[in-house]
Amino acid sequence: MPADKTLALVIRTFPFGETSSVVALFCREFGKLRALAKGAWRPKSSFDGGLDLLSMSQVLVLRKSSGGLDLLTEASLESRFRVGTSLAAVLGGLHVAELLDVLTADADPQPELFDVAHATLRRLSDWRGDESSLAGILLSTELAILRIVGHAPETSLCVECRGPLPSSGRTAFGMLEGGTLCPECRRGRRAVASLSAPALAALGGRGEPPPAAATEARAVITSYLAHLLGRPTRVAARLRAAPRRRTN
């Protein structure tokens, strides 16, 4: 069986025995794969540095025709995710990897999704100094991922009646409905957030939002993802609690 060669992001790893590992990869050509890397942690293995979490590697994988794990035979590191001075940036990278894992099916090629995630991980790698723009970067990535996988939130009309939204004041966003609600449709709804005008514009991807608006919009997206998945993402609480540094 010939091995397939592809670029892959390492999104999750699990120990398997004493020296091997099960790896979740998001590949540009093949989508998400789960593969066994035999002897990955042996000295002088063929995976030297190529299975570091959040790294991008050129991999050789033997893909199984039905069921079971694929077999990873080689991983050559292309670029490593480097830890700088920002805990929030590292958690942001882990959050992006988790979204790739939980929002995609196995073996479903999504090259645009790969490119979005890779670009974000490159920006977050070795982050130093002012963190005020991190919320905007993560929000943009979350919205792009949701759009690509078919779960983009509605922000321009009422998601229920398709009518116009209020022209002033705060706007309701229904987590279960997946979008904004007019005052009539908002009545009696559960799990509804209230968005300021700047946060609504940020959620709609209209321009580069100020940090406060991006943070508010991200709080809504975090809740929306929890309702979509049926549980909060693993990194969400830690990312929300991570301290932010700003430069004057």
Side-chain angles (χ1 to χ4, degrees):
M1 181 187 300
D4 290 313
K5 187 175 185 179
T6 182
L7 282 174
L9 296 170
V10 182
I11 59 174
R12 206 169 180 193
T13 62
F14 311 85
F16 187 85
E18 293 184 0
T19 61
S20 299
S21 182
V22 174
V23 186
L25 303 169
F26 196 82
C27 307
R28 197 174 194 283
E29 285 81 8
F30 308 123
K32 183 175 63 182
L33 302 180
R34 304 184 192 278
L36 176 63
K38 292 183 178 179
W41 308 121
R42 289 176 183 160
K44 299 181 180 179
S45 77
S46 56
F47 307 103
D48 186 26
L51 298 183
D52 291 349
L53 192 60
L54 306 183
S55 64
M56 184 178 73
S57 296
Q58 193 82 238
V59 302
L60 282 175
V61 59
L62 293 169
R63 301 176 64 197
K64 298 293 181 68
S65 57
S66 61
L69 294 169
D70 297 326
L71 182 62
L72 193 65
T73 61
E74 185 179 324
S76 176
L77 182 66
E78 293 278 330
S79 62
R80 177 179 284 113
F81 185 92
R82 298 186 180 278
V83 177
T85 60
S86 172
L87 173 60
V90 175
L91 292 173
L94 295 173
H95 178 60
V96 171
E98 184 176 2
L99 293 182
L100 293 179
D101 192 14
V102 299
L103 289 175
T104 61
D106 289 355
D108 179 20
Q110 298 269 13
E112 184 184 3
L113 189 52
F114 177 94
D115 292 342
V116 166
H118 179 223
T120 300
L121 292 177
R122 288 186 64 180
R123 292 186 71 182
L124 297 177
S125 178
D126 200 25
W127 190 284
R128 299 176 186 275
D130 190 2
E131 298 174 333
S132 60
S133 61
L134 285 176
I137 292 171
L138 290 176
L139 176 65
S140 176
T141 303
E142 289 167 330
L143 292 173
I145 291 174
L146 287 168
R147 173 184 58 79
I148 294 166
V149 301
H151 291 290
E154 174 60 69
T155 61
S156 59
L157 297 170
C158 175
V159 71
E160 285 294 301
C161 71
R162 311 306 294 172
L165 300 171
S167 58
S168 62
R170 299 183 72 87
T171 303
F173 183 96
M175 303 297 171
L176 301 178
E177 294 77 17
T180 44
L181 296 166
C182 69
E184 283 294 321
C185 294
R186 189 261 176 266
R187 291 176 183 167
R189 304 277 178 175
R190 300 173 55 195
V192 175
S194 175
L195 282 166
S196 68
L200 178 61
L203 203 59
R206 297 188 285 276
E208 184 172 337
T215 299
E216 183 184 348
R218 278 215 66 247
V220 171
I221 287 295
T222 298
S223 295
Y224 174 54
L225 284 166
H227 282 83
L228 188 64
L229 298 170
R231 61 168 180 82
T233 57
R234 294 189 308 272
V235 185
R238 295 178 62 195
L239 185 57
R240 187 167 53 246
R244 297 290 194 273
R245 293 192 313 276
R246 297 193 182 197
T247 57
N248 296 322

